[in-house]
Amino acid sequence: MTQTAPTPTAAPDGAPRRAGRIHRAWFAAAVAFVTIIGAAAFASLPGLLIEPLHEEFDWSRGTIGFAVSVNLALYGLTAPFAAALMDRFGIRKVVALALTVIAGGSAATVWMTASWQLVLFWGVLVGLGSGSMALAFAATVTNRWFTARRGLVTGILTAAGASGQLIFLPLLSWLVEHHGWRPAAITVSLAALAVVPFVWLLLRDHPADVGLAPYGGTYTAKPAPIPGAARRAVTVLFKAARTGPFWLLAGTFAICGASTNGLVRIHFVPAAHDHGMPVTAAAGLLAVIGVFDVVGTIASGWFTDRFDARRLLAVYYALRGISLLFLPMLLAPSVQPPLIFFIVFYGLDWVATVPPTIALCREQYGEDSAIVFGWVLASHQVGAAVVAFLGGLARDAFGSYDLVWYASGGLCAMAALMAMVIRRRSPAGAAVAA
């Protein structure tokens, strides 16, 4: 991969020089990738906590699902403010603080004795911390460090979460099965703390910090910090909310969250356990989803650089909906070939929606796209939170998750139709008016 434009140094004489054979942007992407992998432990644990907490504290699945839904909702609602805070204080400070909050919240659950403490520690603290990074972090790094290959880099960084799931799910499920949920919670805390030094020592906020242009672009000076992060996040929301594409993107991404994080990530393991499947086997299947998610998301980033993002979204949602309609018929005490086919098929589609969604935000809203995507991500997590809560209630009320699978399949069909009606926008009109 070669640099297409001169990349000036920050030398006093201002003389430009070219970057080495590997542009520094790829190192920034690598640090972000490792950071997201390390932080992925917190996303791997909630589905494994439902049964142990139900058995130890006799809390209903609806109560536990509510704590998880608070986590998911705050994850999303924090994202746009985090993107604005990164513009104000820099990526390193915001992400390092977020990882520390995650570590503290997860560790504090070890001493909880009441359900409100689960809501506070796992719901509020881990939710706020996780919302300050992850996809908002990935979008900000991509927008600042890359002009070319943005779709591919978005796919790679999105896949980092799946890679982390692949690493942590088997370990956490084994810990829960053999040593209880508390060692698993401590593992999440340690994993979040372990990546703080990578962020603080190796990541830079902007290419201009090291005298470079973004990959595939031209050199620009580092912009001054933008004050009023909260005000800016809300202002961008009000401007974007006056446009139709924002609501279509938010609506489709809410369904994305409902049919992934809120449904499969939280309820697949207990649903499979209802059919007699061991928890470790079900968690292993989720990890396999993570394997194919990496492939599917990177491929989606490559496709996004080449094809119409609207059509990609429509295809992804339609295929996901079809797969969910078949899932209730595939769950059994042991892993059978049809279920493996579902795992592979669904895994390829898991977060393949992210690169085209970010691309459409960038096309529609220009320099404000990271914050707009933060609000679109908020809708994703609100959708996930609703299904995480309602899924637990449905299981308590009906004794199975079948209704939830069928309803999610129908919602995905609706999302496919919504994606097709998002209008195109010319590059000249891409930025939201100042």
Side-chain angles (χ1 to χ4, degrees):
M1 285 172 274
T2 59
Q3 167 69 11
T4 61
T7 53
T9 67
D13 60 5
R17 66 177 175 85
R18 292 184 179 272
R21 294 186 64 182
I22 300 178
H23 193 281
R24 181 69 176 265
W26 295 105
F27 289 101
V31 172
F33 187 89
V34 171
T35 302
I36 295 172
I37 285 179
F42 63 78
S44 303
L45 191 57
L48 304 176
L49 290 179
I50 293 178
E51 291 301 324
L53 294 179
H54 174 68
E55 292 174 4
E56 178 173 337
F57 296 107
D58 199 30
W59 297 337
S60 72
R61 293 175 180 83
T63 297
I64 300 168
F66 175 72
V68 176
S69 71
V70 171
N71 174 291
L72 294 171
L74 288 177
Y75 177 108
L77 293 172
T78 305
F81 296 97
L85 285 170
M86 289 177 191
D87 287 340
R88 175 66 178 88
F89 298 106
I91 298 173
R92 290 192 304 164
K93 292 179 181 178
V94 173
V95 174
L97 178 61
L99 289 166
T100 304
V101 171
I102 290 171
S106 182
T109 60
V110 172
W111 293 281
M112 68 183 177
T113 56
S115 59
W116 67 265
Q117 293 168 335
L118 177 65
V119 174
L120 174 62
F121 299 146
W122 193 264
V124 176
L125 292 181
V126 176
L128 288 173
S130 60
S132 298
M133 45 173 302
L135 291 180
F137 171 46
T140 302
V141 169
T142 302
N143 286 351
R144 291 188 183 183
W145 281 92
F146 291 85
T147 299
R149 302 290 188 271
R150 279 176 167 173
L152 176 62
V153 175
T154 300
I156 292 172
L157 295 184
T158 304
S163 300
Q165 176 177 299
L166 170 64
I167 293 169
F168 286 107
L169 257 177
L171 171 63
L172 294 176
S173 64
W174 182 84
L175 286 172
V176 170
E177 185 88 357
H178 293 89
H179 300 285
W181 62 270
R182 288 179 175 83
I186 292 297
T187 300
V188 170
S189 179
L190 293 177
L193 284 177
V195 294
V196 171
F198 286 93
V199 174
W200 193 257
L201 298 176
L202 301 178
L203 186 63
R204 294 296 177 265
D205 290 326
H206 195 277
D209 288 339
V210 288
L212 294 175
Y215 180 82
T218 57
Y219 179 83
T220 57
K222 181 178 179 179
I226 302 175
R231 182 174 65 252
R232 183 180 177 219
V234 174
T235 300
V236 170
L237 170 63
F238 286 157
K239 291 178 180 177
R242 294 200 293 267
T243 66
F246 173 80
W247 294 105
L248 291 169
L249 288 167
T252 55
F253 222 42
I255 293 172
C256 179
S259 56
T260 53
N261 289 1
L263 181 64
V264 174
R265 176 167 283 167
I266 304 302
H267 295 295
F268 177 81
V269 171
H273 189 61
D274 284 347
H275 287 77
M277 185 180 295
V279 170
T280 50
L285 290 175
L286 271 185
V288 174
I289 286 178
V291 174
F292 289 95
D293 182 20
V294 173
V295 177
T297 306
I298 294 175
S300 178
W302 188 86
F303 290 144
T304 300
D305 285 332
R306 290 160 175 80
F307 301 106
D308 184 353
R310 297 156 193 76
R311 293 184 179 180
L312 290 176
L313 284 180
V315 171
Y316 296 157
Y317 285 121
L319 294 177
R320 183 186 299 175
I322 292 170
S323 67
L324 289 172
L325 293 176
F326 281 96
L327 182 58
M329 297 176 277
L330 304 179
L331 293 174
S334 60
V335 180
Q336 301 296 325
L339 181 58
I340 294 176
F341 179 79
F342 167 84
I343 293 297
V344 173
F345 188 86
Y346 183 86
L348 290 171
D349 195 280
W350 176 275
V351 287
T353 55
V354 173
T357 300
I358 291 180
L360 288 172
C361 286
R362 190 180 300 121
E363 173 189 312
Q364 296 286 335
Y365 303 106
E367 294 181 355
D368 288 332
S369 62
I371 296 177
V372 173
F373 177 71
W375 287 111
V376 171
L377 177 61
S379 71
H380 180 281
Q381 295 306 114
V382 169
V386 170
V387 171
F389 177 54
L390 294 182
L393 290 182
R395 172 60 179 80
D396 289 334
F398 303 110
S400 79
Y401 286 100
D402 289 359
L403 178 63
V404 184
W405 303 124
Y406 296 138
S408 295
L411 286 174
C412 287
M414 184 186 303
L417 295 174
M418 293 168 64
M420 289 302 296
V421 300
I422 298 174
R423 72 171 186 266
R424 292 178 179 274
R425 185 162 186 170
S426 65
V432 176

